[in-house]
Amino acid sequence: MKIINLLYRKYFLSFLICIVSTLTIFFIFSLIGNLNENYTFFIILKVSFLNSLQILAYVPSFIYLLSIVLLCIFLRSKNEITVIKSYFSLRLLTIFILPIVLIFTFFELSKNQLNLLIEDYKINLINVDNQSKIKIFIKKAGDVKNYIVLKNFEQSDYNSSEYRSYRIANDIIESAEFSNKIRLEKESFFIEKFTRYKNNFIKDINSPKMIELDYFDIIKNSLMVKDISKKNKIKFNIKLINFTIFFILFFTCLFLYFFSSKFINAKQSLKNPIFLSLIVLMYSFFVFNNSLSFYRQEFEVIASMIAGLFFIKVYLNE
């Protein structure tokens, strides 16, 4: 139990050092970049801090790697890693790291949503006068994207509200609509008259049209940008499961690799495991963040298989 407590204390110390140091570096660079903005200094400090959080939220796997490297260095400096390896089997080391792995996997899964929340708060912070309240709804169906932009949309007053919609196919605007005449009727929003652009013609339409948005999405949504596309639940679940399996395997075997018998000697260089881990990180970033439209799911499944083989190799070598 004392060894477990020692490991967790050492790890959280390593993690804290990584977070503080990287956050400080990102904050300084963000602050330098924001100093020429026309905001008060207090707003610039808050925006720079939020920018730093966004960068951290994008790279949780990199933070995990840094914390493991730092933990290994700490334990090797006093030969504590030798004692841990003599008392702890590979199974116990896996059990120790599993809660940390699950936490970082959760952040990998939810980093996009977290960044949207930070971005929304940052925009609200910049627009302190609330002169321009904008909400954007995105609806995707294959190669077609529909954007609905609502400006100055208040629940009690629609006099200054504006509605815009854009239909884009193959990166070309097929049609667009604009109206500043909006009314509410039985929890549905209508534009009484609007201007439409379609087939290179602009035409005024005097008949009312219902906005294809849910009432509660408009009123209660606090995000500036929201994706309301209808997702294929089966496909989404397969992607989510595959993504989860990959990072659980990768984070676990990364820790076991650094704690293998080959690298417990303080004189042994950590260049090779660091270099190999960075290559796998770059590979995972390319596979799970690319814009390929062909064989994308197959590449992601292959990545999980590679992570599984990497885990088996580390396990068998021990």
Side-chain angles (χ1 to χ4, degrees):
M1 196 65 185
K2 289 183 179 180
I3 298 179
I4 286 287
N5 292 335
L6 172 67
L7 275 173
Y8 277 119
R9 285 201 307 270
K10 291 283 187 178
Y11 177 78
F12 284 116
L13 176 62
S14 306
F15 175 73
L16 186 62
I17 292 173
C18 290
I19 287 293
V20 172
S21 57
T22 52
L23 194 63
T24 302
I25 294 171
F26 294 149
F27 175 78
I28 291 172
F29 280 101
S30 180
L31 181 63
I32 294 173
N34 289 326
L35 283 177
N36 60 345
E37 299 291 341
N38 190 24
Y39 307 127
T40 63
F41 187 67
F42 182 68
I43 296 294
I44 289 175
L45 288 176
K46 292 180 104 175
V47 170
S48 300
F49 179 73
L50 291 173
N51 286 338
S52 306
L53 287 180
Q54 277 187 300
I55 298 173
L56 284 181
Y58 273 120
V59 289
S61 52
F62 182 70
I63 299 299
Y64 176 81
L65 173 60
L66 286 180
S67 64
I68 294 299
V69 172
L70 200 56
L71 173 65
C72 192
I73 292 172
F74 283 159
L75 294 177
R76 294 201 323 166
S77 63
K78 297 182 180 179
N79 288 324
E80 292 170 323
I81 193 170
T82 306
V83 177
I84 293 170
K85 287 288 293 183
S86 62
Y87 282 95
F88 270 50
S89 64
L90 200 64
R91 182 177 62 86
L92 290 175
L93 284 174
T94 304
I95 293 173
F96 155 74
I97 200 61
L98 191 57
I100 299 171
V101 165
L102 293 176
I103 291 172
F104 274 94
T105 301
F106 170 78
F107 278 107
E108 276 288 346
L109 293 172
S110 56
K111 63 182 180 182
N112 291 330
Q113 292 84 350
L114 182 60
N115 273 284
L116 282 176
L117 288 173
I118 297 174
E119 183 67 24
D120 187 62
Y121 181 77
K122 186 171 67 177
I123 292 173
N124 290 334
L125 182 67
I126 293 174
N127 297 327
V128 290
D129 53 358
N130 289 326
Q131 290 179 354
S132 178
K133 293 184 177 180
I134 297 177
K135 293 182 180 180
I136 302 173
F137 297 87
I138 305 172
K139 191 174 182 180
K140 302 175 184 176
D143 295 330
V144 179
K145 298 178 182 178
N146 289 284
Y147 293 86
I148 296 178
V149 182
L150 303 176
K151 183 177 180 181
N152 299 326
F153 214 80
E154 296 293 338
Q155 187 172 1
S156 56
D157 183 18
Y158 304 113
N159 292 328
S160 59
S161 300
E162 292 182 1
Y163 163 85
R164 293 181 177 88
S165 71
Y166 307 90
R167 178 183 170 87
I168 300 175
N170 299 318
D171 298 326
I172 298 174
I173 299 179
E174 288 188 342
S175 62
E177 296 175 349
F178 169 80
S179 175
N180 56 3
K181 301 292 184 182
I182 302 174
R183 62 182 172 87
L184 172 66
E185 184 177 314
K186 296 181 180 180
E187 297 188 352
S188 296
F189 290 97
F190 291 84
I191 47 177
E192 296 184 356
K193 51 181 161 179
F194 57 96
T195 302
R196 174 184 289 166
Y197 164 81
K198 191 174 183 179
N199 298 326
N200 294 324
F201 288 99
I202 299 177
K203 184 178 180 181
D204 290 329
I205 309 295
N206 293 320
S207 58
K209 176 183 176 180
M210 186 176 73
I211 300 177
E212 295 181 357
L213 286 175
D214 185 80
Y215 172 81
F216 296 103
D217 273 341
I218 300 176
I219 298 302
K220 296 185 178 181
N221 178 47
S222 60
L223 295 175
M224 180 181 177
V225 181
K226 184 176 181 180
D227 191 340
I228 57 171
S229 307
K230 292 182 179 179
K231 296 182 174 61
N232 188 326
K233 294 184 178 180
I234 297 177
K235 186 176 179 180
F236 175 77
N237 287 336
I238 292 174
K239 179 180 176 65
L240 181 65
I241 292 170
N242 183 65
F243 196 80
T244 305
I245 290 173
F246 173 83
F247 278 101
I248 288 177
L249 290 173
F250 172 62
F251 287 153
T252 304
C253 65
L254 188 149
F255 170 78
L256 296 177
Y257 187 50
F258 275 92
F259 276 71
S260 61
S261 303
K262 185 178 179 180
F263 302 110
I264 62 174
N265 190 341
K267 295 181 180 180
Q268 181 68 36
S269 174
L270 292 176
K271 290 181 181 179
N272 288 338
I274 292 174
F275 180 70
L276 180 61
S277 300
L278 286 174
I279 289 178
V280 178
L281 271 182
M282 293 171 61
Y283 170 74
S284 66
F285 182 81
F286 170 76
V287 169
F288 292 102
N289 296 277
N290 65 77
S291 57
L292 294 176
S293 57
F294 56 92
Y295 299 119
R296 179 170 182 172
Q297 189 171 334
E298 287 78 3
F299 279 119
E300 293 174 353
V301 173
I302 291 173
S304 294
M305 293 172 63
I306 293 173
L309 293 173
F310 190 30
F311 178 82
I312 293 172
K313 179 183 178 181
V314 173
Y315 191 87
L316 292 178
N317 286 341
E318 289 295 305

